């Protein structure tokens, strides 16, 4: 009878664990699935389900960013014509673009329904399937947080399962014990939990595990000494590659012009930024906080749209006046409450000083270049040339730098180790056909390929693993 009770207990435990597991993983999916059904039944007739292309109505991807107030967005979905009549800015903008097409009203959708639809819209924007390291991408979503969330879930599950295993082992041992007592009528001596945990078998397993872990950490640390894969320093300006390279589709080479022509890729000078930011002076994310740093660097007066004469001889007080005036005038124009303006001026001016001066290096002048923090850095004894890879080798930036267009802050994607360079040289075929750079090689290899002696020519075959090619 006792045995039955234990069996029931184990069973209950399993059920609890299982339902807990399914709950924690599927709560999110339930919303998305409910949203999908609602979308199909009510919205799919006019809005494309890829969320990126227009149909009868606009693409819905990223729609929450286009509405200042979430409540207005909900109201729009329930009664769009009412919103237009009320004079709401976004509603008016939409109507100007899409009239006379009228969106159906959905007065019966609850807040939860709409939240679910929006969850589905966002979910559709996350790239699906295996992440492709090479080739540019057209998506600007960043799925990094989900990854770390998943890792926490795994650790948690592991702990729960381990605990469960111990409990079950204990129960089974109890059952066996009782069985034995029942059959033989005598009670043998029992091991306590403490005795089991300190037994030879368990102890040697723990020691083995410790050695393996310590060993692998040491090896990892030793081989990555001096290298910094994943290095992601905070930059003096909140420049985002997502905004520029993905959302606004500016070509990498527009800014990193050197990559095509020379050894170095080069960080663009602030004058390149000015090509656009002479006109785009107030940012949608930071207002004046970040863009003013560019003006202070090159000596552009945004109040008058003129470059300041003899800027590098101007006293800091005078420079400060020009830019704090800009900051407060913009604050007033963008309805920042009066009592917050003074603080805004101080904060933003401090940010400018911090971004453009470097006291440790003895640079106290606001004028002069932005001090970007260098991320990739090979040791001096290695020779690496961008144009060789980008122009001659026809490689995409992303093959070595990852999807930079999806990085809000750039991080070093590749290890930049010798093994990394050599592996790629062993695997990558040389693209002879269109470059003419290797006509001599091409002659020889062409013959061999024709005679079926070889089916490909890798970088290694043309000497890409010889020491002196990469080392001075
Ligand atoms: C009959 C076609 C039609 C249907 C059905 C429809 N819409 Fe629309 N939707 C439009 C049109 C057209 C616009 C552009 C504004 C206008 O002309 O009123 C729009 C605009 C929107 C916008 C504003 C987009 C932006 O960029 O700010 C949202 C949000 C939206 N619709 C959500 C929905 C949702 C959610 C549903 C389903 C519950 C839905 N729509 C069903 C036609 C439709
Ligand atoms: C609008 C100009 C602009 C565009 C377009 C642009 N970048 Fe950048 N890039 C910068 C600036 C400025 C920095 C330095 C600040 C930083 O690290 O974010 C930078 C930094 C980098 C770095 C790190 C440099 C280092 O210090 O090691 C890499 C790698 C890079 N960009 C690659 C790319 C790739 C690949 C693309 C195209 C997908 C691209 N960039 C598009 C302006 C641009
Ligand atoms: C080809 C045009 C172009 C160039 C070149 C360019 N930007 Fe931008 N930048 C944009 C656009 C478009 C936006 C989006 C504006 C917005 O969201 O309000 C933007 C946004 C920004 C923002 C965010 C502003 C905010 O508050 O939202 C910063 C910071 C910025 N750029 C810095 C730079 C820097 C630094 C450079 C030079 C290395 C640069 N940009 C070069 C077009 C450009
Ligand atoms: C074959 C791999 C590879 C490719 C392809 C590649 N890079 Fe690089 N990139 C590197 C390495 C390695 C460094 C570090 C160079 C150093 O420290 O001297 C680097 C450094 C940089 C830097 C920092 C400045 C510099 O030149 O040291 C920028 C910016 C950059 N790359 C942008 C780009 C862009 C943009 C493209 C595409 C047009 C690109 N890279 C293509 C490997 C590559
Ligand atoms: C993603 C693949 C890839 C990576 C990573 C890579 N390379 Fe290359 N590399 C190539 C290709 C492709 C060529 C051949 C270009 C051509 O057609 O000449 C090349 C050519 C070279 C050459 C000229 C070889 C010759 O025989 O003329 C040098 C030097 C070189 N790479 C150095 C490096 C160094 C140093 C690194 C690491 C910091 C590196 N490469 C990483 C793909 C790569
Ligand atoms: C394709 C380019 C490439 C070739 C070919 C190459 N190396 Fe390297 N080597 C590198 C890079 C990149 C590093 C820097 C690695 C780092 O910083 O961790 C390096 C580092 C080294 C180091 C310093 C040790 C270290 O880990 O920093 C030695 C020694 C070395 N290489 C020897 C050689 C010898 C010997 C050969 C010929 C058999 C050779 N290399 C061929 C790219 C190359």
């Amino acid at each position: 009878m006792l045995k039955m009770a234990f069996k029931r207990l184990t069973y209950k435990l399993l059920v609890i664990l299982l339902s807990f597991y399914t709950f924690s993983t599927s709560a999110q999916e339930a919303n998305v699935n409910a949203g999908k059904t609602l979308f199909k039944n009510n919205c799919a007739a006019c809005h494309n389900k890829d969320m990126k292309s227009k149909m009868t109505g606009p693409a819905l991807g990223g729609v929450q960013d286009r509405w200042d107030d979430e409540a207005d967005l909900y109201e729009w979905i329930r009664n769009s014509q009412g919103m237009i009549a009320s004079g709401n800015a976004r509603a008016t903008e939409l109507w100007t673009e899409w009239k006379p097409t009228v969106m159906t009203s959905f007065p019966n959708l609850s807040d939860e329904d709409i939240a679910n639809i929006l969850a589905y819209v966002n979910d559709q924007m996350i790239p699906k399937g295996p992440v492709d390291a090479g080739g540019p991408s057209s998506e600007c979503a960043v799925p990094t947080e989900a990854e770390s969330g998943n890792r926490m879930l795994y650790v948690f599950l592991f702990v729960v399962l381990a605990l469960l295993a111990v409990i079950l082992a204990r129960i089974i041992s109890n059952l066996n014990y009782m069985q034995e007592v029942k059959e033989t009528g005598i009670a043998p001596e029992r091991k306590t939990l403490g005795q089991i945990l300190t037994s030879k078998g368990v102890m040697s397993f723990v020691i083995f595990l410790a050695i393996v872990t310590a060993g692998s950490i040491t090896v990892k640390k030793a081989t990555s000494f001096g290298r910094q894969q994943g290095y992601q320093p905070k930059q003096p300006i909140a420049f985002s590659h997502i905004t520029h390279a993905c959302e606004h589709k500016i070509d990498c080479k527009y800014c990193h012009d050197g990559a095509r022509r020379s050894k170095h890729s080069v960080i663009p000078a602030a004058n390149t930024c000015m090509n656009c930011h002479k006109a785009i002076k107030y940012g949608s994310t930071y207002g004046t906080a970040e863009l003013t740093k560019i003006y202070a660097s090159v000596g552009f007066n945004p109040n008058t749209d003129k470059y300041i004469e003899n800027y590098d001889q101007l006293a800091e007080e005078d420079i400060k006046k020009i830019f704090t005036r800009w900051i407060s005038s913009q604050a007033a124009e963008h309805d920042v409450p009066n009592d917050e303006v003074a603080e805004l001026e101080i904060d933003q001016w401090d940010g400018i000083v911090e971004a453009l001066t470097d006291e440790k290096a003895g640079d106290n002048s606001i004028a002069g270049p932005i001090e970007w923090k260098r991320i990739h850095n090979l040791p001096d004894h290695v020779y690496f040339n961008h144009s060789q890879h980008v122009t001659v080798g026809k490689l995409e930036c992303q093959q070595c730098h990852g999807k930079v267009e999806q990085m809000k802050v750039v991080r070093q994607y590749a290890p930049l180790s010798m093994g990394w360079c050599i592996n790629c040289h062993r695997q990558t075929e040389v693209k002879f056909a269109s470059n003419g750079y290797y006509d001599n090689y091409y002659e020889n290899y062409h013959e061999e390929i024709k005679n079926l002696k070889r089916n490909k020519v890798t970088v290694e075959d043309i000497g890409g693993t010889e020491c002196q090619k990469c080392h001075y």
Side-chain angles (χ1 to χ4, degrees):
M1 201 187 76
L2 214 62
K3 200 168 170 178
M4 280 302 290
F6 271 115
K7 264 198 174 150
R8 225 174 291 144
L9 180 73
T10 330
Y11 177 71
K12 263 190 194 151
L13 240 165
L14 266 172
V15 170
I16 290 171
L17 189 85
L18 219 74
S19 57
F20 176 71
Y21 173 72
T22 31
F23 173 76
S24 63
T25 54
S26 67
Q28 195 67 34
E29 278 160 29
N31 293 347
V32 171
N33 283 337
K36 183 177 179 176
T37 313
L38 284 165
F39 183 89
K40 258 197 189 147
N41 296 340
N42 299 303
C43 327
C46 300
H47 293 287
N48 198 321
K49 74 174 185 335
D50 75 0
M51 305 302 167
K52 283 172 226 139
S53 337
K54 296 179 177 179
M55 267 171 37
T56 311
L60 293 185
V63 66
Q64 274 147 307
D65 298 338
R66 294 192 285 274
W67 288 78
D68 291 336
D69 188 350
E70 187 105 354
D72 287 349
L73 171 58
Y74 279 50
E75 186 50 36
W76 165 272
I77 293 170
R78 293 202 185 97
N79 178 9
S80 63
Q81 285 295 315
M83 275 308 261
I84 294 167
S86 82
N88 172 284
R90 176 66 190 151
T92 315
E93 197 174 278
L94 280 163
W95 184 241
T96 315
E97 186 181 347
W98 290 89
K99 77 185 162 194
T101 316
V102 174
M103 171 165 150
T104 324
S105 292
F106 297 94
N108 296 330
L109 289 179
S110 68
D111 281 355
E112 198 189 339
D113 291 339
I114 296 179
N116 289 346
I117 295 176
L118 293 174
Y120 171 64
V121 169
N122 290 330
D123 188 68
Q124 287 293 91
M125 295 300 288
I126 300 171
K128 298 279 155 47
V131 179
D132 168 20
S137 141
S138 59
E139 320 254 7
C140 302
V142 253
T144 42
E145 266 171 42
E147 270 166 34
S148 63
N150 272 346
R151 197 169 318 146
M152 283 307 292
L153 190 69
Y154 286 135
V155 170
F156 178 74
L157 276 179
F158 181 79
V159 170
V160 170
L161 286 178
L163 271 175
L164 188 77
V166 170
I167 293 170
L168 283 180
R170 203 61 199 149
I171 289 170
I172 289 167
S173 142
N174 276 343
L175 290 177
N176 283 342
Y177 174 76
M178 283 184 301
Q179 188 86 25
E180 207 173 322
V181 174
K182 208 173 166 193
E183 277 168 12
T184 61
I186 38 171
E189 208 184 311
R190 296 209 59 207
K191 279 186 184 170
T192 66
L193 185 63
Q195 276 170 328
I196 294 171
L197 284 179
T198 51
S199 74
K200 235 187 184 167
V202 173
M203 283 307 267
S204 39
F205 179 70
V206 169
I207 292 174
F208 170 75
L209 215 67
I211 292 177
V212 169
T213 317
S216 86
I217 290 176
T218 321
V219 169
K220 253 196 195 146
K221 279 256 162 73
T223 50
S224 65
F225 178 75
R227 269 188 241 134
Q228 36 187 355
Q229 185 169 22
Y231 182 49
Q232 186 176 35
K234 189 173 180 292
Q235 297 289 353
I237 297 185
F239 173 87
S240 163
H241 278 80
I242 300 180
T243 307
H244 292 86
C246 194
E247 283 166 9
H248 291 279
K249 309 220 163 9
I250 306 170
D251 186 12
C252 312
K253 290 175 213 158
Y254 177 87
C255 289
H256 301 292
D257 181 39
R260 201 168 20 197
R261 298 182 283 107
S262 64
K263 181 171 180 304
H264 283 294
S265 223
V266 187
I267 305 298
N271 284 325
T272 308
C273 316
M274 288 302 288
N275 290 344
C276 298
H277 287 292
K278 216 187 261 178
I280 306 170
K281 299 200 289 189
Y282 191 92
S284 57
T285 314
Y286 311 102
T288 46
E290 299 297 329
L291 295 175
T292 310
K293 293 174 184 171
I294 306 175
Y295 309 142
S297 154
V298 298
F300 175 80
N301 185 341
N303 303 297
T304 60
D305 284 348
K306 290 207 174 73
Y307 282 90
I308 302 160
E309 276 175 47
N310 297 327
Y311 183 59
D312 51 355
Q313 283 149 37
L314 223 57
E316 186 170 316
E317 268 314 299
D318 297 327
I319 297 181
K320 185 173 171 180
K321 264 186 220 139
I322 296 172
F323 294 112
T324 46
R325 200 184 124 213
W326 167 247
I327 292 162
S328 51
S329 73
Q330 288 300 301
E333 212 167 286
H334 291 88
D335 301 329
V336 176
N338 270 336
D339 53 331
E340 287 171 23
V341 173
E343 200 180 325
L344 203 72
E345 271 184 21
I346 297 172
D347 279 355
Q348 297 198 0
W349 174 251
D350 286 351
I352 291 172
V353 173
E354 198 186 318
L356 298 175
T357 60
D358 183 358
E359 274 178 34
K360 268 186 252 148
D363 170 14
N364 293 318
S365 154
I366 304 281
I370 301 159
E371 315 272 351
W372 299 112
K373 293 217 176 56
R374 181 158 187 172
I375 301 161
H376 299 75
N377 209 350
L378 285 170
D380 288 341
H381 58 82
V382 181
Y383 175 81
F384 176 83
N385 186 319
H386 267 98
S387 67
Q388 175 97 52
H389 290 89
V390 175
T391 306
V392 184
K394 303 215 162 16
L395 295 174
E396 297 287 342
C397 314
Q398 285 82 355
Q399 279 177 269
C400 296
H401 292 297
K403 292 185 172 178
V404 178
E405 68 278 14
Q406 290 185 3
M407 298 179 191
K408 202 166 166 207
V409 180
V410 183
R411 95 186 153 267
Q412 182 175 322
Y413 166 86
L416 301 199
S417 65
M418 179 159 141
W420 174 70
C421 314
I422 296 216
N423 272 344
C424 182
H425 286 185
R426 291 214 169 111
Q427 286 160 10
T428 310
E429 290 182 47
V430 180
K431 298 199 176 59
F432 286 114
S434 57
N435 79 33
Y437 189 84
Y438 285 115
D439 277 347
N440 295 340
Y441 284 109
Y442 187 57
E443 285 289 312
N444 293 343
Y445 285 130
H446 195 68
E447 277 302 303
E448 287 185 38
I449 288 171
K450 229 172 43 193
N451 300 335
L452 300 175
K453 278 200 197 132
R454 64 165 67 236
N455 55 13
K456 61 174 190 177
V457 180
T458 62
V459 181
E460 182 175 31
D461 293 326
I462 61 166
T465 54
E466 287 162 17
C467 317
Q468 78 281 4
K469 285 271 169 69
C470 302
H471 291 291
Y472 291 108

